[in-house]
Amino acid sequence: MASEPSKELIALDDPYPDRDYEVRCTTPELTCVCPVTGQPDYATVEIAYVPDRRIVELKSLKLYLWSYRDEPVHHEAITNRILDDLVTAVAPKQATVETRWLVRGGITTTVTARHPAEASLG
């Protein structure tokens, strides 16, 4: 597998498809570019999901998150896009993506997106 940024999330078979359990992935290394100022933005992203038949391969998740490094995108958009791409890749029973952005302009921002919309993990 390459070690370059990639928008491809690789799905693997769930080793316990008959059991509900939660997978939680957290990294403080999500970066993108503010589409208004062009300045870098930094966030911790936490992804929690209950698999159905597939799980996400972790190196592909790392490369996927890395692919946003130079992309101009708003906090709300990147959070929802990560959720949409995860749902497309692994079709989880439930999923939550939360991004916690470092202070910019004196404001700390946290964005949370859920699938299905009424689901809540953690």
Side-chain angles (χ1 to χ4, degrees):
M1 183 183 309
S3 288
E4 295 294 323
S6 171
K7 290 290 187 198
E8 180 184 11
L9 287 173
I10 296 172
L12 304 174
D13 290 338
D14 181 353
Y16 291 94
D18 297 325
R19 176 184 297 159
D20 282 349
Y21 62 96
E22 182 178 285
V23 177
R24 188 172 297 271
C25 304
T26 306
T27 181
E29 298 180 1
L30 178 63
T31 62
C32 62
V33 176
C34 175
V36 176
T37 66
Q39 296 297 308
D41 279 330
Y42 304 94
T44 295
V45 60
E46 183 168 292
I47 299 167
Y49 68 99
V50 176
D52 189 357
R53 298 285 172 203
R54 297 178 289 176
I55 58 174
V56 68
E57 193 278 324
L58 294 179
K59 184 170 183 182
S60 75
L61 178 60
K62 176 182 176 149
L63 297 176
Y64 169 82
L65 294 172
W66 185 13
S67 74
Y68 286 102
R69 179 179 55 189
D70 296 320
E71 187 171 329
V73 61
H74 290 288
H75 301 161
E76 298 81 3
I78 192 172
T79 305
N80 280 282
R81 194 177 311 159
I82 292 168
L83 177 65
D84 290 345
D85 291 347
L86 179 72
V87 169
T88 297
V90 301
K93 294 177 181 178
Q94 293 180 16
T96 301
V97 175
E98 181 176 277
T99 55
R100 295 181 296 277
W101 298 89
L102 293 182
V103 175
R104 180 163 35 106
I107 298 174
T108 300
T109 304
T110 300
V111 180
T112 305
R114 292 181 179 86
H115 167 81
E118 66 277 358
S120 180
L121 296 175

